[in-house]
Amino acid sequence: NEILKAKMINFKKKSYEFKKNGFTILNIFEEKKFIKLNNLIKKKIYSYSNIIKDIEKDEYPLKYYHDWCIKKKVKHDWLCLQKQRYFYPNIEISNFIKKNIIINNFLKTLNVKNYTMWDDGDGFVGFRLIRPNYNDGYPLSCKSMGLAKKVISCWMPLIGFDKTETLLLVKGSNKKKYDSYLPKSSKFEKTDLRLSKKYKLKTISFDLKPGDVIFYGPDTLHSESNPLRKHTRISLEFRYNPK
């Protein structure tokens, strides 16, 4: 299925979109692998929330995590620490992320023939749990403002697929230079610069389907804080660091 899907993709077109806009969308996970990965993250979050349950049951659906996390006294800030969110997946998922034919063909069209997975020391795959109206999502910024200055990021929703929930992007921002500053205090990474507040930029988001990912470059402005979101969104991120 992966090989067949790869043959149907116009990688040159996807590369052109990426270079022009700063991002592109690819469907890389077939249904079985998407479900496995989705269930893996669900189990992690439920175990961190001290809820032992069958993930097929909907007594505490993660879509409504923002409602029941307080009732269940979930330590949300602890759950969302980097050491909890990042992990090393099993061999099957790890190989799929590192050796995926679609990903590797796409990266080759960007002239990225060799890379390492970006790993802060806790794992190269991380989930984000973003509640509505809680300021959980990173504000508008780009990877080159932080530690991961050259990475190509892969963002994948697990819960929350329509454009009121998905990643916000600034089209063409990869071709411009923006002023930035270091906040005096932040609930996010303390050393990362932030986009200057003087800018009023138009953002775009997309309707996605299971298995879709957004690839975006290190200079592409993006934000996880979609103001239209009404439910909890869960997404994955893994990053390819060119050698």
Side-chain angles (χ1 to χ4, degrees), residues 163-174:
K163 61 185 177 182
T164 66
E165 301 172 295
T166 55
L167 195 69
L168 296 177
L169 299 139
V170 178
K171 191 174 182 179
S173 56
N174 57 312

Side-chain angles (χ1 to χ4, degrees), residues 47-101:
S47 65
Y48 292 163
S49 303
N50 295 318
I51 295 176
I52 301 173
K53 64 188 288 298
D54 183 336
I55 62 173
E56 299 301 324
K57 296 178 181 178
D58 287 326
E59 185 178 359
Y60 297 104
L62 290 177
K63 181 178 180 180
Y64 299 105
Y65 167 87
H66 56 286
D67 289 332
W68 58 256
C69 69
I70 296 174
K71 174 185 174 183
K72 296 299 292 182
K73 298 180 180 179
V74 176
K75 297 178 180 178
H76 178 81
D77 290 343
W78 175 86
L79 189 158
C80 290
L81 289 173
Q82 179 172 303
K83 64 181 180 179
Q84 316 300 351
R85 294 188 299 102
Y86 278 86
F87 63 97
Y88 297 99
N90 61 37
I91 293 296
E92 179 187 10
I93 297 299
S94 180
N95 285 340
F96 193 78
I97 291 172
K98 292 179 178 179
K99 301 178 181 180
N100 183 283
I101 294 172

Side-chain angles (χ1 to χ4, degrees), residues 102-118:
I102 296 172
I103 294 172
N104 284 327
N105 281 353
F106 171 66
L107 291 177
K108 284 178 182 177
T109 63
L110 299 178
N111 204 31
V112 178
K113 298 178 181 178
N114 294 293
Y115 59 81
T116 56
M117 302 303 299
W118 182 265

Side-chain angles (χ1 to χ4, degrees), residues 171-182:
K171 191 174 182 179
S173 56
N174 57 312
K175 295 183 176 181
K176 299 178 182 178
K177 296 293 182 182
Y178 297 91
D179 293 335
S180 59
Y181 73 102
L182 185 65

